[in-house]
Amino acid sequence: MIIGTAGHIDHGKTALVKALTGVDADRLPEEKARGITIDLGFAYKDTPLGGTIGFVDVPGHEKFVHTMAAGAVGMDHALLLVAADDGVMPQTREHLRVLDLLGVPDLTLVISKCDLVDPAQAARVREQASALIAATRFGAVPWYLASARSGHGIEALRNALFTRQPTLPITQAEGFRLAIDRVFVVRGMGVAVTGAVIAGVVQVGDVLRLAQRGIEVRVRSIHAQNLPAQSATRGTRCGLVIAGAEFASVERGDWLVDPSLILLTQRVDCALTVPADAERGVRDGELVLLHHGTAHRSARLILLDAAEIAPGRSGLAQCVLDRPVQACWHDRMILRDGSARHTLAGAVALDVEPPVRARKRPERIAALTCLRADNPATVLLRLLDCCPVPVNATHWARAMNLQLFSLLKAVPAGVTRLEVAGELWLVGDLARSALETRSDECLGQFHVSDPDEPGLAIERLRRMCAPALPQSVFRAWAQQAIASGRLGQTGSFVHRPGHRVELTDVERALWTKVLPLLINGHFDPPWVRDLARSLNVGEDAIRTLLRKQARQSHLVQVVHDLFYPERTMQEIASLARTLEMRDGMVGVVSFRDALQIGRKRTIQILEACDRLGLTRRLISTGRNNNASEKDHRIVRNPDLFMPGDT
């Protein structure tokens, strides 16, 4: 368990830690000389139950509130000290506010220096401090009168603290995370970092990642609660000697994390809470200092559901940071004003990869409201109920620092799952209904306005009915809808299941004459004018017929008035694949020789293949860029125009 101190300067925090543990937490020469705490101090004490408690001593001066906030990270319990001869002071209020907003689980009030005043004065200070604490989420808390100098009350406080059990979170995050608060070099060993273990377990030999630099390091040794150990877990202060990073590349504020936690973000959607006793509210567009873990960043506030959040109120906001941070869902943060004089609000991270556009729409606000729930499984189920688009379960498992299979345990078996680029997307009932309804409406409108068209390309349909959905996800959903019969497909076009582009009787008769001529033309089929002259039919009638058949993927239009049958395109694709296997590319000359046609027609065919996605053009030049261009291609989509395609 980790216990931290809090309170105004010179209210006896360091002296109390020494009285409880026998360790002077002030380690810097400047702290000894000035008699005040400047940086975080640490002390450890074995308990009668066989464990070890770590104490974090924080500075009380108003200039070091950022250091105090860094020390509060990972605290399981806090001691708020109020000197009996001073009473509640400005930093008493400030530190209590920080503890409250950072979500420290429990608090004990200590009235220090009680030997310097009479019992009545100590009682008045206790009542004053208790009333202040009662206005926070801590409510009524245990209190002790103590004096580090005389020893009064120390034993009772020690017994109470050393028999406490830490309050565990509802859901245990799984990947290791440590907020670095000290970096130093251990002679003969290497770079060492210390901090509170926020989540997960680490063992000697594990590979971890320095989040800010993206450097992977190996754990050489571990000190947990100031004792050599083979592993360390959440709720302990931990020192790790690491290999693979230089001293200059590690700094306070960075995170040491499991390698799977690769996401760095400069935008975080949060739930903000402004304390009732705050000096003022927060405004849209305001520049603030954001404290996260042991780091602080400059951030711009974009309020999502109000123009201002007044004291005592809550709201939603997007924080746009000046530098990236490694954040996870429900991380606690503190917002201070730009001059670092006042703590304005607390923030709970909801989405660590939020959208830039449409961030204030009602459906987005509804999703953020779902994310405020404490249980990850509940959050996922609520997202499936309220989101009109599929939900990226892989993203949320990563953002919540959970294994995907752990998060999926609560998902009903009937929910549609889409595997897209190694990520799992879930389609809830609302999203399924919205996609089906909207796509049916778009296709219905298109079929009315363009009855002779076979349908819409999948990408065009996506832009019409779900523009915010990634292309790959919409394509995967559309393919499932086609396979189940909810959508129809002809060639590369999607349409309503019952929609067909029908040829008239005259067109069907004409097609039986045109198709053999195109097939017999092989790689040099007749042009529209040649077909019209040969069949004694008007060019417009031939052109209309061929375009209609091209829309149904029976033909490919290479250039204006020149069409190739599907069978011929399969032969062309087969030649391209063969040439690439033989030469490593598809060259203009080799392709011309294989087709036994002219260079101009060869280039026209290759350009059509580029447009269709079969090939991709590459250009290289000789030395000094003076040689003539070498125009060649690679096969981009080898599955296109395979025999048996329709």
Side-chain angles (χ1 to χ4, degrees), residues 254-274:
D254 202 351
W255 289 80
L256 195 59
V257 298
D258 186 274
S260 64
L261 298 174
I262 60 175
L263 177 64
L264 289 176
T265 181
Q266 283 188 252
R267 292 179 181 269
V268 183
D269 278 2
C270 307
L272 294 189
T273 300
V274 180

Side-chain angles (χ1 to χ4, degrees), residues 280 286-289 336-342 344:
R280 62 176 179 83
E286 184 173 357
L287 188 65
V288 297
L289 290 177
R336 308 190 76 218
D337 67 336
S339 62
R341 297 185 61 187
H342 304 293
L344 300 177

Side-chain angles (χ1 to χ4, degrees), residues 2 23 37 67 88 105 145 152 160 178 196 200 226 276 297 338-339 504 561:
I2 302 174
V23 177
T37 300
T67 304
V88 171
L145 301 178
H152 175 78
L178 179 141
N226 207 37
R297 299 278 191 271
S339 62
T504 66
D561 279 359

Side-chain angles (χ1 to χ4, degrees), residues 143-446:
W143 56 269
Y144 293 86
L145 301 178
S147 169
R149 185 173 63 173
S150 69
H152 175 78
I154 298 298
E155 191 61 28
L157 177 60
R158 182 187 293 116
N159 291 338
L161 295 176
F162 287 10
T163 55
R164 288 190 64 86
Q165 294 295 325
T167 302
L168 296 178
I170 297 174
T171 301
Q172 293 283 340
E174 296 173 349
F176 178 78
R177 298 178 75 206
L178 179 141
I180 298 175
D181 53 37
R182 285 185 64 201
V183 185
F184 53 94
V185 175
V186 178
R187 184 172 298 177
M189 293 287 289
V191 177
V193 299
T194 68
V197 180
I198 306 301
V201 179
V202 64
Q203 296 181 335
V204 173
D206 282 355
V207 174
L208 302 174
R209 178 189 295 270
L210 286 166
Q212 204 65 41
R213 299 290 184 94
I215 301 172
E216 289 198 346
V217 298
R218 182 175 57 83
V219 178
R220 299 184 64 177
S221 66
I222 299 175
H223 265 62
Q225 302 291 72
N226 207 37
L227 294 173
Q230 290 298 306
S231 64
T233 186
R234 186 205 169 278
T236 61
R237 275 203 56 81
C238 180
L240 305 177
V241 178
I242 56 177
E246 300 293 333
F247 175 75
S249 63
V250 191
E251 61 182 359
R252 173 188 280 184
D254 202 351
W255 289 80
L256 195 59
V257 298
D258 186 274
S260 64
L261 298 174
I262 60 175
L263 177 64
L264 289 176
T265 181
Q266 283 188 252
R267 292 179 181 269
V268 183
D269 278 2
C270 307
L272 294 189
T273 300
V274 180
D277 62 344
E279 287 74 11
R280 62 176 179 83
V282 295
R283 297 179 293 273
D284 186 29
E286 184 173 357
L287 188 65
V288 297
L289 290 177
L290 183 145
H291 295 261
H292 172 250
T294 54
H296 55 276
R297 299 278 191 271
S298 178
R300 180 74 64 184
L301 272 186
I302 302 173
L303 300 186
L304 303 179
D305 55 355
E308 182 176 0
I309 303 177
R313 298 297 182 90
S314 298
L316 298 170
Q318 184 171 109
C319 299
V320 184
L321 287 72
D322 63 337
R323 288 188 294 155
V325 296
Q326 197 284 321
C328 288
W329 171 77
H330 274 213
D331 277 0
R332 294 273 185 164
M333 296 170 285
I334 293 293
L335 303 183
R336 308 190 76 218
D337 67 336
S339 62
R341 297 185 61 187
H342 304 293
T343 299
L344 300 177
V348 178
L350 300 179
D351 192 347
V352 295
E353 201 173 6
V356 178
R357 302 178 186 276
R359 55 194 168 195
K360 297 185 180 183
R361 288 183 178 174
E363 56 266 29
R364 176 62 185 168
I365 300 301
L368 291 176
T369 302
C370 295
L371 290 167
R372 300 180 78 158
D374 290 330
N375 188 290
T378 301
V379 167
L380 185 61
L381 293 177
R382 288 183 180 178
L383 286 175
L384 290 174
D385 287 339
C386 78
C387 286
V389 294
V391 174
N392 188 341
T394 302
H395 159 73
W396 286 114
R398 187 166 53 238
M400 294 172 173
N401 193 12
L402 295 171
Q403 296 292 326
L404 180 58
F405 72 87
S406 299
L407 190 59
L408 293 178
K409 290 178 181 177
V411 177
V415 173
T416 301
R417 305 185 180 203
L418 303 175
E419 291 277 355
V420 181
E423 296 189 333
L424 179 65
W425 293 71
L426 304 177
V427 186
D429 289 341
L430 180 62
R432 176 186 54 77
S433 176
L435 286 172
E436 290 179 359
T437 301
R438 184 65 183 138
S439 61
D440 186 68
E441 290 174 352
C442 293
L443 289 172
Q445 293 169 3
F446 181 78

Side-chain angles (χ1 to χ4, degrees), residues 578-598:
T578 301
L579 288 174
E580 187 184 50
M581 291 179 61
R582 189 190 73 185
D583 304 333
M585 65 177 185
V586 181
V588 174
V589 174
S590 59
F591 200 54
R592 178 201 65 190
D593 294 342
L595 297 176
Q596 296 183 353
I597 56 177

